[in-house]
Amino acid sequence: MTGVGAGSLGGGSADGGFPEIVVHRPAPGGGRRVTVGAVRLGLAHSDSDVIEFLRRAGLDDADQLVHGDSPAIQWRGGPAHEYGAV
């Protein structure tokens, strides 16, 4: 796993909420790229990876965002919480 340091994301979304958090479509070899705004956080193979990436990026409530199926996270190109190869 790789990630960015706490507080390195800066700002929020245009509406003052969370920055855009995207879990992209599953990769051919498995895992999903995770971005916040224009910042690439890493390749997640589980919800635990997503939580850790967001925590390292300074989002203290990352566990609630992921497990609470928050609308703040956009799951693109596949079902939420699935990381297998396509």
Side-chain angles (χ1 to χ4, degrees):
M1 273 190 320
T2 60
V4 296
S8 63
L9 296 176
S13 66
D15 64 5
F18 285 102
E20 181 178 62
I21 302 167
V22 179
V23 180
H24 297 268
R25 65 186 172 98
R32 296 174 83 155
R33 187 169 43 99
V34 180
T35 59
V36 176
V39 178
R40 183 177 176 165
L41 301 182
L43 185 67
H45 292 275
S46 68
D47 285 350
S48 295
D49 288 347
V50 176
I51 291 166
E52 182 63 13
F53 293 156
L54 297 177
R55 186 193 64 75
R56 288 182 186 182
L59 297 174
D60 295 329
D61 55 354
D63 189 84
Q64 292 175 341
L65 289 174
V66 173
H67 289 130
D69 290 324
S70 171
I73 298 179
Q74 297 178 31
W75 298 85
R76 294 187 183 163
H81 313 288
E82 291 187 17
Y83 299 88
V86 292

